[in-house]
Amino acid sequence: MMGLAVSAVTRWTWRRMPALMHRVPAPVAARVAGVLGAWAYALLAGWGIPAQRTVVMMAVVAALRLGARRWPWPMVLLLAAVVVTLLDPWALNQAGFWLSFAAVGLLMLSGQDVRTPADLPWAQRAVHSLRDVLRTQWIASVGLAPLSLVFFQQVSVVGLVANLVCIPVFSVIITPLALVGLAFPVCWDPLAPLVNQLMSALGALAGWRWAAVSGAMVLPWASALGLLVGAWMLASVPRRWKVLAVPGLLFLLWPTSVSLPLPGPPTGHAQIMAVDIGQGTSVLVRTARHALLYDAGPRTSPGNDAGRRVLVGLLRAQGVTRLDTLLISHGDIDHVGGAASVVRAVSVDALLSSLEDGHALMSVPDRAGRRPSHQRCEAGQRWSWDGVRFEVLHPTEADWAERAQGRRSDNGMSCVLRVLTVADEAAGESSHSVLLTGDVEAEGEAALQQALGASGLASEVLVVPHHGSHTSSTPGFIDAVAPRVAVVQAGARNRYGHPHADVMARYRERGIAVVRSTACGAWVWRTDQGPASEAGQCWREMAGGYWRAPLASAADTPGPDVADPSGEADEEEAIPRRRARRRRRSRADEDA
């Protein structure tokens, strides 16, 4: 916009100065001034990556025109992309790079011509301009929809309406007044109410339940097919050929096990994903047609939590638009911190927790505008989804009574959940189980042992209690559970020193494979694919970058922690020792 405005003013001025025209033709001056004007405005706007791309694209096109070269539009677009990549090679990893170039390419591919004939009456020119704006926005919205599904697993339904309002208002009113206000501040006075009202309207539009359509993360071949179909639909080809290509979009809109990188489990089995959430806990449990999220990770600051940063994107990528149950083990911020963001982003049928009555989470509406029904977790609760059994083992009714008397901590009220797949002997399948423990401590572990014994606690996978703290993972509890794999969810170099060295030693002594999120990333296991020690996979191993060394699987290292090539394990275990040394030095200084 700024480039066109500066170019138009320069052309109009230049043609009225014969001396300048004899030295430099007006079209040449207008193109150079347009690029310089766009560059100056981009600097004023902060010189962000999108602004850099726009200026470089304009400069490339202007240079070709000044050199009297008329390249085919694909070559012009390719040259601009090459220049941007040379200036910023990491731009290739940004969604904005592909969205911006794809938008321009789609307009060129469709044969769009935004120039309005100058010899038309003003009424016809207005109609022609309006039709061009509508067609441009339609092409951009429809053409970029497959790319949005690939990058964000979401495409806006209201984006076309929002752009039709925002682009003219910002281009014709807000931005010019903001720039003129640099010289005449009085022009800023009407901007505040206008911008506030516009943002309120956009917020209401975005809050509509059907404002966006969600998909799922798909395999590269499905993404490429969807993008090709999107481009084909806007190409200048007969309509009947466009219709034949529509089925290619179905892999993006309705992914199946054929196109999903992590397809859901079959009936009778479960998929367990211990999410790489930092210093906190979050485990996604999926059956054939249901999903449960156990805890939602930490909140590090207002507006910055694991739900917003990690879980919402993960659920969308997995195609999970509805949680049958959100189970919050207890009220610590590293377990409930991201729950509100999750509830707002997806539909949640039920909330199961040990939170106190009146907790803020219970009043948060979900994506459908409903408040999930809340029920406190209590030992003895059982249900079955698609042949998979879920059992709540802790807290007991007695624990709730002690909580009412103020004699039970939040950690002591942690909801402990056991997920069990039943063996199908006819099919030659064995049963599998996972124990999710929250921050249950030694007292709770002893109560579980006494109430259930080894037969009621035995699980193939144990999510290590309290991130590997000294307060948990007592030897008797580990022996009762007898896991083959222990999963530790803790942040790298966290200030608590989790997991502690002596706790990890207890698992090593028993030959239990330890999987740590700091080295493994998310740990994924589908019970139909075999034992956890063999079929469990680290996400960094499944989808690691070219710079990562191959990770060992849990089965490769039954004693020590799973692949920690960075030395984080030794670093984290050394934290308490360094703190102790600092305290000793501090006391020595005080004595001196």
Side-chain angles (χ1 to χ4, degrees):
M1 182 197 69
M2 187 56 62
L4 289 175
V6 173
S7 178
V9 171
T10 302
R11 184 182 291 106
W12 184 88
T13 306
W14 211 266
R15 287 175 176 174
R16 284 155 179 76
M17 298 181 178
L20 294 178
M21 290 182 61
H22 282 294
R23 292 180 178 273
V24 180
V28 173
R31 288 172 186 146
V32 173
V35 173
L36 293 176
W39 173 70
Y41 180 73
L43 289 178
L44 183 65
W47 196 237
I49 296 298
Q52 294 178 34
R53 284 196 293 266
T54 305
V55 172
V56 170
M57 291 173 69
M58 292 181 64
V60 168
V61 173
L64 291 175
R65 293 289 178 85
L66 292 175
R69 291 177 174 85
R70 296 187 62 85
W71 285 14
W73 69 262
M75 296 302 298
V76 175
L77 200 65
L78 180 60
L79 178 60
V82 168
V83 174
V84 170
T85 305
L86 290 175
L87 294 176
D88 180 19
W90 291 107
L92 292 172
N93 289 333
Q94 299 176 1
F97 174 90
W98 300 101
L99 289 169
S100 59
F101 278 99
V104 176
L106 288 171
L107 291 174
M108 292 178 171
L109 177 65
S110 65
Q112 175 77 342
D113 188 355
V114 298
R115 294 174 296 178
T116 301
D119 56 347
L120 292 177
W122 70 269
Q124 295 184 20
R125 293 186 64 186
V127 172
H128 191 279
S129 299
L130 179 61
R131 186 171 62 246
D132 282 341
V133 169
L134 290 172
R135 187 167 184 266
T136 299
Q137 288 305 313
W138 174 256
I139 290 172
S141 299
V142 175
L144 294 180
L147 204 57
S148 297
L149 283 171
V150 169
F151 282 122
F152 314 115
Q153 292 80 54
Q154 201 174 37
V155 60
S156 174
V157 175
V158 299
L160 176 62
V161 177
N163 284 336
L164 287 176
V165 175
C166 288
I167 290 177
V169 171
F170 273 91
S171 301
V172 179
I173 302 175
I174 294 178
T175 302
L177 285 178
L179 294 174
V180 174
L182 295 173
F184 305 99
V186 69
C187 295
W188 289 341
D189 293 340
L191 283 182
L194 176 60
V195 171
N196 289 337
Q197 291 177 10
L198 184 61
M199 296 308 293
S200 297
L202 290 175
L205 197 63
W208 181 46
R209 180 179 179 182
W210 303 107
V213 174
S214 298
M217 183 173 63
V218 296
L219 293 170
W221 68 264
S223 299
L225 179 61
L227 296 178
L228 287 174
V229 171
W232 181 258
M233 295 291 291
L234 296 172
S236 300
V237 296
R239 187 168 300 176
R240 61 180 180 274
W241 293 107
K242 294 181 179 181
V243 174
L244 292 176
V246 170
L249 292 173
L250 298 180
F251 293 105
L252 289 179
L253 294 173
W254 292 282
T256 64
S257 58
V258 176
S259 58
L260 288 171
L262 283 178
T267 300
H269 290 277
Q271 181 191 72
I272 311 296
M273 178 181 285
V275 185
D276 184 9
I277 205 71
Q279 181 61 27
T281 297
S282 187
V283 180
L284 177 63
V285 182
R286 298 177 64 192
T287 65
R289 290 179 293 275
H290 297 81
L292 176 145
L293 183 65
Y294 181 93
D295 283 337
R299 183 176 72 240
T300 54
S301 62
N304 184 22
D305 58 72
R308 184 191 302 263
R309 291 186 294 105
V310 179
L311 295 176
V312 171
L314 170 66
L315 294 174
R316 286 177 181 162
Q318 296 296 302
V320 178
T321 58
R322 181 176 66 89
L323 288 174
D324 296 272
T325 299
L326 172 61
L327 195 158
I328 302 299
S329 63
H330 62 295
D332 281 1
I333 199 65
D334 57 339
H335 294 255
V336 72
S341 296
V342 172
V343 171
R344 294 189 186 99
V346 299
S347 298
V348 180
D349 290 347
L351 175 62
L352 188 64
S353 76
S354 63
L355 300 174
E356 66 276 6
D357 293 337
H359 192 280
L361 180 61
M362 300 177 189
S363 61
V364 176
D366 69 357
R367 183 183 178 187
R370 301 175 290 109
R371 293 181 183 178
S373 59
H374 177 257
Q375 184 180 9
R376 71 183 193 181
C377 54
E378 189 172 323
Q381 293 169 332
R382 292 181 176 85
W383 67 93
S384 179
W385 289 339
D386 307 318
V388 179
R389 296 206 318 241
F390 294 77
E391 304 172 349
V392 176
L393 307 182
H394 188 268
T396 63
E397 187 176 353
D399 294 325
W400 280 103
E402 291 188 13
R403 169 73 170 271
Q405 298 172 7
R407 293 188 297 151
R408 182 69 65 175
S409 67
D410 272 353
N411 286 349
M413 292 297 295
S414 290
C415 302
V416 176
L417 180 70
R418 189 175 186 230
V419 182
L420 179 67
T421 64
V422 182
D424 185 352
E425 297 179 359
E429 298 176 348
S430 58
S431 60
H432 302 280
S433 55
V434 179
L435 192 64
L436 310 175
T437 56
D439 281 353
V440 68
E441 297 181 331
E443 184 180 356
E445 292 179 352
L448 285 169
Q449 290 175 247
Q450 183 177 0
L452 301 171
S455 60
L457 287 175
S459 298
E460 189 172 350
V461 176
L462 170 66
V463 177
V464 173
H466 205 172
H467 323 290
S469 169
H470 284 306
T471 63
S472 310
S473 295
T474 57
F477 181 74
I478 298 176
D479 292 336
V481 178
R484 295 184 181 180
V485 177
V487 180
V488 181
Q489 290 183 293
R493 297 178 175 86
N494 63 86
R495 61 192 179 98
Y496 308 102
H498 294 158
H500 289 292
D502 56 342
V503 174
M504 293 295 96
R506 295 171 197 166
Y507 289 96
R508 294 191 186 102
E509 290 167 0
R510 292 160 175 80
I512 300 169
V514 178
V515 177
R516 296 175 57 176
S517 58
T518 50
C520 177
W523 183 76
V524 186
W525 174 45
R526 250 179 56 171
T527 59
D528 62 308
Q529 295 178 344
S533 56
E534 300 174 4
Q537 293 180 289
C538 292
W539 184 258
R540 292 185 185 176
E541 187 177 39
M542 296 164 59
Y546 62 87
W547 57 87
R548 293 191 183 277
L551 296 175
S553 67
D556 296 331
T557 54
D561 294 350
V562 168
D564 196 1
S566 63
E568 287 180 355
D570 296 336
E571 176 70 16
E572 293 173 12
E573 292 170 1
I575 289 175
R577 296 194 293 271
R578 290 203 301 266
R579 288 177 179 159
R581 287 196 297 269
R582 284 197 296 267
R583 285 194 295 268
R584 289 195 295 270
R585 285 197 299 268
S586 178
R587 286 194 295 268
D589 292 340
E590 291 175 359
D591 294 341

